Amino acid sequence: MEAIEELAQLSESMRQAASLLADDDPSDDTAPRRPSTFLNAVALGNVGAGKSAVLNSLIGHPVLPTGENGATRAPIVVDLQRDPGLSSKSIVLQIDTKSQQVSASSLRHSLQDRLSKGASSGSGRGRVEGINIKLRTSTAPPLKLIDLPGIDQLALDDSVINEYCGHNDAILLVVIPAMQAADVASSRALRLAKDIDSDGTRTIGVLSKVDQAEGDAKTIACVQALLSNKGPKNLPDIEWVALVGQSVAIASAQAVGSENSLETAWQAEAETLKSILTGAPKSKLGRVALVDTIAKQIRKRMKVRLPNLLNGLHGKSQMVQDELARLGESMVQSAEGTRAVALELCREFEDKFLAHITSGEGSGWKIVASFEGKFPDRIKQLPLDRHFDLSNVKRIVLEADGYQPYLISPEKGLRSLIKIVLDMAKEPSQLCVEEVHHVLLDIVNASANATPGLGRYPPFKREVIAIASNALESFKNDAKMMVVALVDMERAFVPPQHFIRLVQRRMERQRREEEMKNWSSQKPQEADQSMAKRASSPQTGAEQAGVSSKSSKEKSSQQDRDKKGSNLQVAGASGEITAGYLLKKSAKTNGWSRRWFVLNEKSGKLGYTKKQEERHFRGVITLEECNLEEVEEDEPAKSLKDSKKANVPEKGPSLVFKITNRVAYKTVLKAHSAVVLKAESMPDKVEWVNKIKAVIQSKGGSFKGPNNEGGSMRQSNSDGTLDNMAQRPADPEEELRWMSHEVRGYVEAVLNSLAANVPKAVVLCQVEKAKEDMLNQLYSSVRLMCCP
């Protein structure tokens, strides 16, 4: 046991030397440690060979599950630490920095449960996840024991064997039952160990369950031959040790109450083996012999590795001496020289850091990815629908007004709603700051690792990283304050122009509704007046009859369509599909053609066919790129004389509207920069215009109404003042819904502005300061450090 503890110290020294050769700092506990495998012991063997029992004997407690049908279904790694202060029966389980005393039976049952769950969740041949535990006992040597599943099990993949056994210095414990000693030459486990360790410097053969072969003279003879190195000639030259089943070595120890119970049990095990294997060497019998053999093999393996390690250290030492000679003795023997070296290293670090920032090397591209991807996505995912739900708007307005309801407009409630919603933008903005901070920290570490000079001075390298990290931490706090101030700035002041426009839009909407109603109610009266004028006009009977008949027919047809309402068809789950006939003006002939149009509000497309039955569109307009405008209907000019003769009635509202592209030089449909359409009736036009306008305005387009002076609609009798507007009763709920919709548009515009401005603040407070202030702080701190 003492020999292995000395080897453990030597193993740690060799690990530190390997770290030095790799330019790592062995004294840095935060840096990832290069693992040493000299003290690893891996059990190889078939199912039921007794691998877990052999490892339990080394541990001194039956913690690993055992069984004839393959109890180990996944690799189990037991990291042992020897604590002489514990009693022989104590087992302490280490979980991170916490310790918990457990019993062998509870630990064994816990492992059995985990293995059973893992077996039920996985199927077939594939990679299996290992189980890692760390134990402290007074009986176990400081080894890391790896219990692999049987090599004839499907659960054991070749990659698992290579991970734990290949390309390292782990000791291979090839476990073979004593009853199979006669067939040891054909053992698959032994062949596998020979492939991994061809020279046999880290392989130990373990003959288990010798007590079960008692009475079988042939088997006992084969076991004694192997222990005496007189086995088959084709066997590798390895050390052999014999053990009994764990029942003798472990169970008997548990029955004795003294502190020396385990030593007594191991002595009893050795005596039992001596009585069975009378012709075998006594130094190869029992658990104590196995521990000594493992220590012997570890020592051999270290001797193999030590020359290369010493040569590497010598070469490293020579490199350091050459570097010191290059820098000059005066530079490293004086404060000025030390300062010069440190500042030179800082300049190398600065070059690497700026290269990462300006050229996007390493993690620099993640800053742009955060600005263009994650941050805008978080802004878009804010729950605006929930906050602008009508019931929530009502609640906020009610709470804001207190016991006195608002008189004209719920301004206080709407301002409160704006503040609540904009406050949600603080969290995405601060997360953007945190992401950029982590990216800059990664760049600092990557730049330090890429600076060759800092690798020669690990303590100074850690100091440079610490100074830069502290500076970035202060920049992060400044950036958070800046982005929060940006949000608070928008919350604190809502421009009054928005609410003025809100009232103006409401008045305009009511005015147009009044015009529509007045036009509908006055149209029959105008028809009667027109008929009376024509009857009293001094025209000939034929002329009067012809004009009157034609005008009456057109008026009657138009009135019938208007009275019937819209003839458009609506389809879709939520009514997003609208279809009907429109007249399309030809750019070549300047005439009108009747076409079947289909509007999809969800996709924002307006397509048309020549006939309703056609399945393929002849043209499609993408509305998200367009503007909508109501225009006058062009009619051929007539002379005053012709006009008086025909007694042309007063011109009615225009049914024509036009779709144009937002960009003047781009086309809307095919090669046309504008598409002029005409509805068959006023209800049809109103419905078409409203739906197309909703799609275009939702995509940022504009809508231009008719000219008030010579517009397509008859001038309203209302003067549009607030007094007249107040005379007509309005639905408060509808008004509140409309106002909340307008306020949401304002909030979305502010959020879009924040999505553009927050990255600017982050760049100013973090990235730009990292390029200037952080490096200045680094140079200042280094000068102070190097002062005598």
Side-chain angles (χ1 to χ4, degrees):
M1 193 77 74
E2 288 76 10
I4 289 188
E5 290 181 351
E6 293 176 359
L7 292 174
Q9 296 176 2
L10 181 57
S11 173
E12 178 62 19
S13 300
M14 294 178 70
R15 184 197 67 79
Q16 293 180 4
S19 298
L20 286 174
L21 289 177
D23 275 341
D24 293 339
D25 184 6
S27 62
D28 186 4
D29 295 332
T30 61
R33 295 169 64 94
R34 294 177 175 270
S36 173
T37 57
F38 286 115
L39 302 180
N40 291 11
V42 185
L44 294 174
N46 291 336
V47 174
K51 302 183 299 299
S52 300
V54 170
L55 298 184
N56 278 338
S57 180
L58 287 173
I59 298 171
H61 300 275
V63 298
L64 297 175
T66 57
E68 296 294 332
N69 297 322
T72 306
R73 299 184 182 90
I76 301 176
V77 180
V78 184
D79 193 353
L80 296 174
Q81 295 180 359
R82 188 166 182 265
D83 187 352
L86 296 175
S87 66
S88 61
K89 290 191 175 186
S90 296
I91 304 175
V92 177
L93 178 64
Q94 291 280 128
I95 304 175
D96 295 330
T97 58
K98 299 180 181 179
S99 301
Q100 180 182 355
Q101 190 159 350
V102 295
S103 65
S105 60
S106 63
L107 187 57
R108 184 173 63 255
H109 293 322
S110 175
L111 291 174
Q112 287 174 340
D113 293 340
R114 291 182 63 179
L115 291 171
S116 300
K117 290 178 182 178
S120 60
S121 60
S123 60
R125 184 180 180 89
R127 178 79 177 180
V128 291
E129 295 296 330
I131 300 173
N132 294 272
I133 58 175
K134 185 179 289 187
L135 301 178
R136 281 194 297 117
T137 69
S138 63
T139 58
L143 299 173
K144 181 181 286 188
L145 306 180
I146 296 100
D147 190 9
L148 296 181
I151 59 175
D152 50 348
Q153 273 188 337
L154 292 177
L156 188 64
D157 191 73
D158 292 340
S159 61
V160 178
I161 298 176
N162 290 331
E163 177 182 353
Y164 291 105
C165 304
H167 308 292
N168 57 32
D169 299 295
I171 301 300
L172 306 180
L173 301 178
V174 181
V175 182
I176 300 174
M179 296 298 295
Q180 299 177 11
D183 302 323
V184 69
S186 60
S187 171
R188 183 185 172 190
L190 204 57
R191 291 199 307 271
L192 181 61
K194 185 177 180 181
D195 292 339
I196 298 172
D197 178 29
S198 58
D199 55 1
T201 57
R202 58 188 182 106
T203 304
I204 300 174
V206 180
L207 298 169
S208 64
K209 305 179 183 179
V210 174
D211 52 326
Q212 296 181 9
E214 186 178 6
D216 188 340
K218 180 179 178 182
T219 300
I220 295 298
C222 291
V223 170
Q224 293 185 143
L226 290 172
L227 294 174
S228 303
N229 294 328
K230 297 179 181 179
K233 294 182 179 180
N234 58 346
L235 285 183
D237 185 15
I238 61 175
E239 298 286 341
W240 289 90
V241 178
L243 296 179
V244 298
Q246 78 167 11
S247 58
V248 174
I250 304 298
S252 61
Q254 300 297 329
V256 182
S258 65
E259 286 295 322
N260 299 325
S261 55
L262 283 174
E263 287 76 4
T264 304
W266 292 332
Q267 291 177 5
E269 177 191 25
E271 294 298 327
T272 302
L273 288 170
K274 290 177 183 178
S275 63
I276 298 173
L277 304 172
T278 55
K282 309 256 184 315
S283 60
K284 296 186 178 182
L285 303 179
R287 186 259 191 189
V288 176
L290 177 59
V291 173
D292 293 340
T293 305
I294 291 175
K296 179 180 177 182
Q297 293 297 86
I298 293 174
R299 191 177 292 106
K300 281 184 180 179
R301 195 64 184 177
M302 286 182 173
K303 288 181 179 180
V304 171
R305 296 291 188 191
L306 200 55
N308 291 334
L309 191 60
L310 292 175
N311 290 335
L313 289 175
H314 179 73
K316 191 72 172 180
S317 175
Q318 188 61 44
M319 288 175 58
V320 173
Q321 294 296 329
D322 294 342
E323 184 67 17
L324 292 176
R326 185 182 70 83
L327 295 174
E329 289 189 26
S330 61
M331 297 183 66
V332 296
Q333 291 180 354
S334 63
E336 291 78 7
T338 304
R339 186 185 304 113
V341 174
L343 293 176
E344 178 63 27
L345 294 176
C346 288
R347 279 190 286 271
E348 292 181 17
F349 169 78
E350 177 184 2
D351 293 339
K352 294 293 182 181
F353 181 79
L354 292 178
H356 278 80
I357 292 290
T358 56
S359 63
E361 295 180 11
S363 302
W365 60 270
K366 294 182 181 178
I367 297 177
V368 180
S370 177
F371 292 161
E372 297 181 352
K374 295 180 181 179
F375 176 59
D377 289 344
R378 291 192 183 106
I379 292 291
K380 292 177 182 178
Q381 291 169 5
L382 293 177
L384 297 185
D385 292 338
R386 174 166 58 84
H387 284 274
F388 283 100
D389 182 70
L390 187 59
S391 59
N392 185 64
V393 174
K394 285 181 179 179
R395 180 184 61 80
I396 292 177
V397 168
L398 184 63
E399 292 175 356
D401 287 332
Y403 72 93
Q404 280 194 343
Y406 64 88
L407 299 179
I408 297 177
S409 159
E411 179 176 332
K412 188 183 295 184
L414 296 180
R415 286 182 181 273
S416 177
L417 180 62
I418 291 173
K419 288 184 177 182
I420 292 173
V421 177
L422 290 182
D423 190 67
M424 296 189 301
K426 290 181 180 179
E427 183 178 357
S429 302
Q430 290 176 329
L431 287 176
C432 180
V433 173
E434 287 286 351
E435 287 178 354
V436 173
H437 175 68
H438 289 303
V439 171
L440 292 175
L441 286 178
D442 292 341
I443 292 177
V444 165
N445 284 280
S447 302
N449 292 330
T451 304
L454 289 178
R456 295 191 295 270
Y457 307 100
F460 182 66
K461 175 182 175 182
R462 291 199 305 273
E463 194 64 30
V464 168
I465 294 175
I467 294 171
S469 300
N470 292 334
L472 292 177
E473 185 71 24
S474 65
F475 301 157
K476 180 189 75 172
N477 296 333
D478 294 342
K480 281 189 175 181
M481 293 173 61
M482 174 69 80
V483 298
V484 170
L486 284 176
V487 177
D488 287 337
M489 178 181 67
E490 298 290 352
R491 293 175 67 245
F493 181 75
V494 179
Q497 291 82 0
H498 177 76
F499 285 93
I500 294 172
R501 288 195 298 269
L502 189 147
V503 175
Q504 289 174 345
R505 290 175 186 172
R506 179 172 59 176
M507 292 169 59
E508 178 67 18
R509 181 169 59 89
Q510 292 178 353
R511 183 186 64 76
R512 298 190 63 185
E513 290 177 358
E514 289 290 340
E515 288 177 348
M516 289 293 299
K517 285 191 176 181
N518 292 338
W519 178 80
S520 299
S521 62
Q522 292 176 7
K523 196 168 183 64
Q525 298 177 7
E526 291 173 359
D528 294 340
Q529 292 175 4
S530 179
M531 291 289 291
K533 287 180 181 179
R534 284 195 298 272
S536 60
S537 63
Q539 290 182 339
T540 62
E543 290 175 345
Q544 184 176 350
V547 174
S548 176
S549 173
K550 183 177 179 181
S551 177
S552 299
K553 187 175 182 181
E554 291 176 354
K555 291 278 186 178
S556 176
S557 175
Q558 183 67 29
Q559 287 181 12
D560 290 342
R561 287 195 296 268
D562 291 345
K563 288 180 180 179
K564 289 180 181 178
S566 173
N567 294 320
L568 305 185
Q569 300 179 14
V570 179
S574 57
E576 70 273 10
I577 307 295
T578 303
Y581 281 106
L582 286 171
L583 297 178
K584 177 178 172 292
K585 191 171 185 178
S586 173
K588 294 181 179 179
T589 63
N590 208 29
W592 297 94
S593 302
R594 194 168 185 255
R595 297 289 182 262
W596 179 259
F597 279 80
V598 178
L599 170 65
N600 190 328
E601 297 180 58
K602 185 175 292 185
S603 64
K605 307 281 186 179
L606 177 65
Y608 75 91
T609 60
K610 188 173 183 180
K611 296 181 181 179
Q612 182 177 354
E613 296 79 14
E614 292 183 9
R615 300 180 62 87
H616 300 286
F617 291 120
R618 293 179 178 241
V620 177
I621 301 173
T622 303
L623 296 177
E624 66 179 9
E625 303 171 355
C626 300
N627 293 330
L628 179 64
E629 180 182 354
E630 290 190 44
V631 297
E632 296 287 345
E633 182 175 355
D634 295 331
E635 292 187 2
K638 295 183 179 180
S639 66
L640 180 60
K641 185 177 179 181
D642 294 339
S643 181
K644 288 182 179 179
K645 283 183 179 180
N647 195 17
V648 178
E650 186 179 352
K651 187 177 178 182
S654 173
L655 302 177
V656 181
F657 56 94
K658 181 169 65 174
I659 300 175
T660 59
N661 200 298
R662 298 183 202 172
V663 183
Y665 60 84
K666 290 190 177 180
T667 60
V668 176
L669 179 67
K670 299 179 181 176
H672 306 302
S673 60
V675 176
V676 182
L677 303 174
K678 181 179 179 181
E680 294 185 336
S681 66
M682 181 54 66
D684 283 3
K685 179 196 173 183
V686 171
E687 187 168 353
W688 276 117
V689 169
N690 288 340
K691 292 193 174 185
I692 294 174
K693 178 176 69 172
V695 174
I696 288 178
Q697 289 183 340
S698 68
K699 304 297 183 180
S702 64
F703 168 70
K704 184 178 180 181
N707 191 348
N708 290 337
E709 295 179 0
S712 62
M713 292 191 178
R714 191 178 301 275
Q715 187 69 27
S716 172
N717 294 329
S718 172
D719 60 359
T721 62
L722 282 173
D723 294 336
N724 285 341
M725 291 300 169
Q727 292 175 2
R728 61 181 295 273
D731 182 6
E733 184 169 313
E734 182 64 26
E735 290 294 316
L736 192 60
R737 178 184 290 108
W738 179 79
M739 282 188 283
S740 67
H741 176 74
E742 293 293 330
V743 170
R744 175 170 182 167
Y746 169 76
V747 169
E748 289 177 346
V750 173
L751 291 177
N752 291 335
S753 174
L754 288 174
N757 291 328
V758 166
K760 297 176 185 177
V762 170
V763 169
L764 177 64
C765 296
Q766 290 183 272
V767 181
E768 291 299 320
K769 283 190 175 182
K771 291 166 59 177
E772 298 178 7
D773 295 357
M774 184 195 77
L775 296 174
N776 291 337
Q777 291 183 26
L778 177 62
Y779 284 118
S780 300
S781 301
V782 169
R783 288 191 184 97
L784 293 175
M785 288 168 51
C786 298
C787 286

